[in-house]
Amino acid sequence: MTMTYIDLDVRPILRAGGEPFEQIMQTISSLEPGKGLRLYATFEPTPLFHVLGSKGFTHEAKSLDGGDWEVLFRPTSTATPDQAQALISPNDDSEWPAPSQHLDNRDLDPPEPMVRILAATEALKEGEVLSSLLCREPTFLLPELAKRGHRWRGGFEADGKTYKIVIRVGARREAMA
């Protein structure tokens, strides 16, 4: 059976400084059985590979002229959208300790902020808290945090340009124990 693909070009969104994660997830959720997604992006969307992999998609990425990327996502399993949503679910309202580490990632290009944050969380102990400043909402980071058993709180600061995220390492694993 030949796979057909729905095309989604998120390059204009990325070049304008936006986050296409929600649009990508909506497109994935609307795919009919047997159809895949052909995604065009300005960088290799490595974090998305894990997110869609958890939804039962494999990927094939190739670089295009000018540094852009084309990625084919093909469904391979019976994973449900609810399983993926569970990975990006928000957090608890309990009291957290003060952050033991602070990162300012506002001047970094994607995916470097996510790489630095995930590396920092690996160095922290269970229950410790990390805070980070970003120049945008980290939509690709959130599923990765959930997958690793961390919780987070975040939102834009009063300036409307700085997104602050606070991450409690292993808090999800503690709650499930």
Side-chain angles (χ1 to χ4, degrees), residues 24-69:
I24 293 167
M25 297 311 284
Q26 287 174 350
T27 303
I28 286 292
S29 296
S30 69
L31 290 176
E32 296 174 11
K35 289 194 174 185
L37 170 67
R38 181 185 344 260
L39 179 72
Y40 294 97
T42 58
F43 62 93
E44 185 177 18
T46 306
L48 193 58
F49 299 161
H50 298 292
V51 173
L52 295 184
S54 70
K55 290 190 73 161
F57 286 84
T58 62
H59 68 273
E60 179 181 320
K62 70 176 182 181
S63 64
L64 303 173
D65 292 338
D68 292 344
W69 286 80

Side-chain angles (χ1 to χ4, degrees), residues 23-120:
Q23 187 175 358
I24 293 167
M25 297 311 284
Q26 287 174 350
T27 303
I28 286 292
S29 296
S30 69
L31 290 176
E32 296 174 11
K35 289 194 174 185
L37 170 67
R38 181 185 344 260
L39 179 72
Y40 294 97
T42 58
F43 62 93
E44 185 177 18
T46 306
L48 193 58
F49 299 161
H50 298 292
V51 173
L52 295 184
S54 70
K55 290 190 73 161
F57 286 84
T58 62
H59 68 273
E60 179 181 320
K62 70 176 182 181
S63 64
L64 303 173
D65 292 338
D68 292 344
W69 286 80
E70 175 188 280
V71 184
L72 300 175
F73 290 100
R74 287 186 287 284
T76 60
S77 75
T78 57
T80 66
D82 291 341
Q83 289 171 319
Q85 186 61 37
L87 290 175
I88 57 174
S89 63
N91 314 293
D92 65 77
D93 294 327
S94 65
E95 189 170 322
W96 290 8
S100 57
Q101 186 172 356
H102 302 274
L103 299 174
D104 187 345
N105 294 325
R106 290 179 287 184
D107 294 332
L108 301 176
D109 293 324
E112 190 62 27
M114 183 170 105
V115 170
R116 287 186 68 197
I117 290 170
L118 291 176

Side-chain angles (χ1 to χ4, degrees), residues 116-151:
R116 287 186 68 197
I117 290 170
L118 291 176
T121 61
E122 294 299 319
L124 295 176
K125 297 176 186 168
E126 294 271 327
E128 287 188 309
V129 176
L130 162 78
S131 73
S132 180
L133 302 177
L134 304 162
C135 65
R136 63 182 73 177
E137 186 173 0
T139 52
F140 289 115
L141 174 65
L142 303 180
E144 292 299 317
L145 294 173
K147 192 166 76 178
R148 288 167 169 79
H150 308 321
R151 293 197 183 255

